[in-house]
Amino acid sequence: MKKHFKLAALSLAVLSSTAFAQDSSEPEYKNWFGISGLYYNTDVERPTTEVLDDGQGVSFEYGFRFTQSWAARVEFTALELDYVGGSSDDGEMVGVDALYFMPNDAWYLFGGVKRQSVGESTTLGNIGIGKHWDIAESVKIVTEIATYHDFGEDYNDYSVKLGLAIPFGKSTPSAPKDGDNDGVIDSKDQCPMTPAGVRVDATGCSIDNDNDGVLNSVDQCPNTPAGTVVDAKGCALKDADNDGVVDAKDMCPDTAAGVKVDAKGCTVFDEETVEITLRVLFDNESSVVKAPRDPEISEFAEFMKQYTNTTAVIEGHTSAPGSEAYNMDLSEDRAASFKEVMVDMYDIDASRLETVGYGETRLLDTAKNAEAHRVNRRISVTVKDTVKVPEEK
């Protein structure tokens, strides 16, 4: 019967404390001094020389509230326990507790350790639940239910407390909550889920629904797509080449797609090194370009046309057989022959092409066989230039 009473009382305390929870504004918290009456119920299994019954006491406590949620207290209780048969015994119980207060001080949990000296001394661990009820700014009613456990003898006692607490000391109000961090506290925020970075009015609601920088009150185009450049009325500005610079400010209105532009809408260029190398082989003792329309020769000509500021040196070479004088003349003829192809067939300006013969002085392969002679009968040309190219986005 006693256990059922204790569980019912504990449940009633939790439910009632939740029902009487304060409004959404966080209370101020202070230290307190308290005095309470205590009903103490002993475990029938408690080992004593006489059978203990219920008891009562007067409790004095000092509490220190060091954050909105956490506090600590010391407590002294003058305790009288009754024995079955009518006699009683006086003593005391001293201990400390840590307390955790729920939001808005709806209720609190506590736990600690007590030293009890009634007839004999014992150390108990205790946990419980309680609430400070506001009846005036300077007075609170204290209600608590606690259980005590002796780990050595393995028994449990229970207590119910009712008393008064007197807050004192400098109050420390907690900061009002602002769940969406828009600068409007939750109690006044009519739009509590505003996305980060959105400007809001005094009620916490957006003042620029399409986030284009124009307030709703003057925005004549309130649903502008994200990223659109708008005018003072919130309507999109024209950008014919879609480079991010409106036509009114675009000094280069036909910018190619996909390239970076500056604040005036003109292409931003970067320097880049371009290079092409060509090698053309010749028959033995011949200076005739056998395949002037070869794709590699055509590609070289296109490169020269694309980069019009470039010039080229055409180098003529021969294989080792033959006299040095003969080979020198042959190499110069080969270079000149290739220049003629560039000028006559591909319209490359002759002034951009220089020729030089090296004869047999720069062999690619020094072996004395047919393959070595074949690769050495050649002209070679390399063109390199630093040009400006548009930067890509």
Side-chain angles (χ1 to χ4, degrees):
M1 183 68 178
K2 286 184 180 180
K3 288 187 177 179
H4 292 166
F5 169 76
K6 297 163 191 170
L7 291 174
L10 182 60
S11 300
L12 180 62
V14 173
L15 293 173
S16 62
S17 64
T18 303
F20 283 91
Q22 303 300 313
D23 61 26
S24 61
S25 59
E26 290 282 357
E28 299 177 350
Y29 57 87
K30 303 180 180 181
N31 302 338
W32 74 91
F33 174 78
I35 180 170
S36 305
L38 185 74
Y39 168 76
Y40 194 90
N41 180 264
T42 58
D43 193 333
V44 295
E45 302 296 330
R46 185 167 179 171
T48 57
T49 54
E50 299 181 68
V51 179
L52 286 168
D53 199 356
D54 300 340
Q56 55 280 326
V58 178
S59 177
F60 302 90
E61 65 182 87
Y62 168 75
F64 173 71
R65 191 81 172 264
F66 46 89
T67 72
Q68 181 62 42
S69 299
W70 288 97
R73 72 179 175 193
V74 294
E75 186 177 33
F76 171 82
T77 303
L79 191 62
E80 180 182 17
L81 298 182
D82 299 329
Y83 295 102
V84 175
S87 62
S88 63
D89 202 352
D90 296 334
E92 62 187 36
M93 186 165 60
V94 181
V96 294
D97 289 309
L99 296 84
Y100 179 77
F101 286 81
M102 297 299 170
N104 306 313
D105 280 7
W107 44 281
Y108 60 87
L109 299 170
F110 62 90
V113 62
K114 300 289 190 294
R115 183 66 178 174
Q116 188 182 108
S117 299
V118 181
E120 58 185 45
S121 296
T122 185
T123 299
L124 307 171
N126 68 280
I127 58 172
I129 185 171
K131 178 173 175 60
H132 287 175
W133 305 83
D134 291 326
I135 58 174
E137 184 177 352
S138 58
V139 179
K140 298 177 184 288
I141 292 178
V142 177
T143 56
E144 286 184 4
I145 293 178
T147 180
Y148 307 84
H149 182 75
D150 187 305
F151 293 97
E153 301 293 343
D154 195 24
Y155 63 82
N156 299 300
D157 295 345
Y158 299 88
S159 71
V160 178
K161 179 195 288 186
L162 177 64
L164 297 175
I166 311 298
F168 66 93
K170 184 178 180 180
S171 62
T172 309
S174 61
K177 289 186 176 180
D178 178 13
D180 54 6
N181 199 31
D182 61 358
V184 180
I185 61 175
D186 291 349
S187 60
K188 296 181 179 180
D189 199 335
Q190 296 180 20
C191 301
M193 302 297 289
T194 306
V198 174
R199 293 187 296 168
V200 298
D201 57 21
T203 65
C205 295
S206 172
I207 58 177
D208 179 12
N209 286 337
D210 54 6
N211 202 30
D212 61 359
V214 180
L215 303 182
N216 294 338
S217 58
V218 296
D219 197 337
Q220 296 182 16
C221 302
N223 297 311
T224 306
T228 302
V229 180
V230 299
D231 57 20
K233 297 179 181 179
C235 296
L237 290 170
K238 290 184 178 180
D239 178 13
D241 55 4
N242 198 32
D243 61 358
V245 180
V246 297
D247 291 349
K249 298 181 179 180
D250 199 335
M251 303 296 291
C252 303
D254 298 317
T255 307
V259 301
K260 289 185 179 180
V261 298
D262 57 21
K264 297 180 180 180
C266 296
T267 302
V268 176
F269 289 93
D270 192 11
E271 288 191 346
E272 181 177 296
T273 299
V274 292
E275 180 178 354
I276 189 169
T277 297
L278 176 67
R279 182 181 300 162
V280 178
L281 301 182
F282 290 81
D283 289 339
N284 186 35
E285 297 186 1
S286 173
S287 61
V288 177
V289 179
K290 293 187 294 183
R293 296 293 184 183
D294 184 272
E296 291 187 7
I297 297 177
S298 298
E299 181 183 355
F300 176 82
E302 287 300 317
F303 181 91
M304 294 293 291
K305 291 178 180 180
Q306 180 178 357
Y307 301 103
T308 56
N309 292 325
T310 57
T311 60
V313 177
I314 305 170
E315 301 176 350
H317 303 273
T318 69
S319 58
S323 68
E324 291 183 7
Y326 175 80
N327 286 339
M328 183 62 70
D329 290 340
L330 181 57
S331 66
E332 291 174 353
D333 290 343
R334 286 172 176 171
S337 179
F338 183 77
K339 178 177 178 178
E340 288 179 7
V341 169
M342 289 290 102
V343 174
D344 296 340
M345 297 185 64
Y346 292 98
D347 296 325
I348 304 301
D349 191 333
S351 64
R352 298 174 58 197
L353 301 172
E354 179 183 350
T355 62
V356 61
Y358 289 102
E360 59 187 82
T361 61
R362 297 187 178 183
L363 299 177
L364 290 179
D365 190 339
T366 59
K368 296 180 180 181
N369 53 47
E371 177 60 21
H373 300 332
R374 186 184 71 84
V375 298
N376 286 327
R377 297 192 296 264
R378 72 195 187 281
I379 63 98
S380 61
V381 56
T382 297
V383 182
K384 180 185 294 187
D385 193 16
T386 300
V387 298
K388 290 186 176 180
V389 294
E391 286 190 30
E392 295 183 357
K393 288 183 178 179

